[in-house]
Amino acid sequence: MTQTTVNQNGEVPQSSATTYYSLLGLHPSTSVIDIRRAYRELSKLYHPDTTELPANIATAKFQQINEAYATLCSPERRLSYDLKIGYSRFGVIQAPADLNHPASRPHDWSKSAYLDASDRPLSSGEIFVLFVLGLTFVGCLLLAIAVAVIRGEATLQTHLSQPLNTQQQITQIYQLNTQTESKINNQ
C-alpha cells in the first residue's frame, strides 16, 4: 500500500517523506475514493481513543492524517498542493495498456462513489414520504367525489321537484327562442 510520490519527470521529489500522499501511503494520481479509503483505515489505526500508542504520538499522527485528508479531498486544494510539490497530472497520464480490449469483468458498483439508484432499497424516510403522498392523493380523490355527490344531489333534487313532460319542455324552448329573436330584431 505504501508508494512513493513521483513528479511529471518520473523523479522522486526531495521531500518525499513529508508529502500528504506518502503520509496516506498513496500515489499522487490516486482517486478520491482511494484517498477516502486510506484515510479511514489510518484514522482508525491512529485515533487517540482507539490506539495503543502513547497519546501524544497518536494525536500528532492523527492531526497530520486529518490535515492531509482535508487537503487531498478538496479538488481546488489538491490542485494547488500538487503544484506546490511539483506534481502534474498531465505529464503522468498515459493510455491504459488494454485500451482496445473490451472489459472482461463487470463494473463493481461497491467501489463507485456514484451508485445506481435502482441498486439500493428505499430508506424508511422515503417509504414514509411515499405513504403520506399516497394518503394525500386518496384523500383528495375522496373529497372531490364527496363534493360532486353533494352538489349533484342538490341539483338533481331541484330538477326532480319540477318534473316537466316533453310538451312543456318544447313550449319553454320555443318561448326562449322567440324572446331571443325579438331582442335581435329590436336592435
Side-chain angles (χ1 to χ4, degrees):
M1 173 112 175
T2 303
Q3 299 176 3
T4 58
T5 60
V6 180
N7 64 12
Q8 67 265 21
N9 299 327
E11 301 169 352
V12 177
Q14 292 287 341
S15 61
S16 174
T18 60
T19 64
Y20 292 150
Y21 294 108
S22 63
L23 187 63
L24 295 176
L26 300 169
H27 188 272
S29 65
T30 191
S31 69
V32 177
I33 296 170
D34 291 333
I35 291 172
R36 188 178 304 129
R37 189 175 296 132
Y39 168 73
R40 285 182 183 159
E41 290 174 10
L42 290 173
S43 65
K44 288 176 188 175
L45 183 65
Y46 289 109
H47 194 279
D49 295 338
T50 60
T51 187
E52 296 177 3
L53 295 173
N56 58 352
I57 295 173
T59 304
K61 188 73 170 175
F62 187 70
Q63 287 174 346
Q64 290 175 346
I65 292 169
N66 279 336
E67 183 181 342
Y69 178 71
T71 300
L72 298 179
C73 70
S74 169
E76 296 85 18
R77 291 173 66 184
R78 183 178 180 184
L79 181 63
S80 65
Y81 180 74
D82 286 346
L83 293 174
K84 178 182 167 187
I85 65 170
Y87 175 76
S88 173
R89 295 176 194 281
F90 302 111
V92 178
I93 296 175
Q94 298 177 359
D98 62 345
L99 181 65
N100 295 326
H101 301 293
S104 59
R105 53 194 158 120
H107 181 70
D108 185 8
W109 287 101
S110 65
K111 295 180 182 175
S112 174
Y114 305 103
L115 295 176
D116 185 14
S118 64
D119 287 348
R120 66 173 184 83
L122 293 176
S123 69
S124 57
E126 292 169 329
I127 291 173
F128 177 73
V129 167
L130 288 173
F131 177 72
V132 169
L133 187 65
L135 281 179
T136 304
F137 179 74
V138 169
C140 288
L141 189 62
L142 290 175
L143 182 65
I145 291 171
V147 167
V149 168
I150 290 171
R151 287 191 177 180
E153 286 180 3
T155 307
L156 186 62
Q157 288 173 358
T158 58
H159 284 296
L160 291 178
S161 65
Q162 302 171 1
L164 299 174
N165 61 21
T166 309
Q167 184 62 36
Q168 290 174 335
Q169 290 176 352
I170 292 173
T171 307
Q172 285 182 350
I173 292 173
Y174 178 73
Q175 289 173 352
L176 286 172
N177 198 8
T178 55
Q179 289 173 358
T180 308
E181 285 178 4
S182 67
K183 286 182 184 179
I184 292 174
N185 291 337
N186 289 338
Q187 291 177 356

